Amino acid sequence: QVQLQESGPGLVKPSQTLSLTCTVTGGSITTNDYYWSWIRQPPGKGLEWMGAIGSSGRTDYSPSLKSRTSISRDTSKNQFTLQLSSVTPEDTAVYYCAASQCSDYGCHVLINEYDYWGQGTQVTVSS
C-alpha cells in the first residue's frame, strides 16, 4: 500500500519560494508507472492539479502555474519536491501530494484518477 506524507513550512512570505517535500513509503517512485502529483485546494475553492513527475522522471505542469512551478525528485530518499516561486496570498491553500497508476493519455491531470493521497499540509502566504 502506497503512503504519502507532505512536509514543509506552513508560512511563506510573499515573493518567496514555497518548497514542499512528499515522502513515499510502500512503493518506489521510480517503478510501477505511477504519476506523482501535487494538488492544492485554496480556501473555499476546489482542488487544483499543479503538476506531476512520472516514474521515468518526466514532468508535466498545469499551464496556469508552469512558469512558477518545478517538481523534482530524490530517488535515494524516495521523495519528490514541489517548488512554487514568487508566491502571493492567492497561493494560500492546503497542498496535497498524490499518486495515480492511470494509463490513459493525459489522465494524470485528472484529480479523480488519484488513488493515494497524503493528509495535506496547510501553507499560508503572508507577511
Side-chain angles (χ1 to χ4, degrees), residues 56-108:
S56 65
R58 184 175 178 270
T59 55
D60 190 26
Y61 301 106
S62 167
S64 64
L65 296 169
K66 186 173 184 177
S67 64
R68 299 195 292 131
T69 306
S70 177
I71 297 175
S72 59
R73 65 182 185 176
D74 185 335
T75 57
S76 68
K77 296 180 180 179
N78 216 38
Q79 296 174 332
F80 63 104
T81 298
L82 168 73
Q83 290 195 309
L84 181 67
S85 63
S86 304
V87 297
T88 72
E90 285 66 43
D91 294 308
T92 294
V94 177
Y95 286 76
Y96 298 92
C97 55
S100 171
Q101 284 187 290
C102 70
S103 57
D104 293 340
Y105 179 78
C107 65
H108 61 283

Side-chain angles (χ1 to χ4, degrees), residues 32-35 99-110 112-115:
N32 296 330
D33 295 324
Y34 277 95
Y35 291 103
S100 171
Q101 284 187 290
C102 70
S103 57
D104 293 340
Y105 179 78
C107 65
H108 61 283
V109 308
L110 301 175
N112 61 4
E113 293 284 357
Y114 285 84
D115 300 312

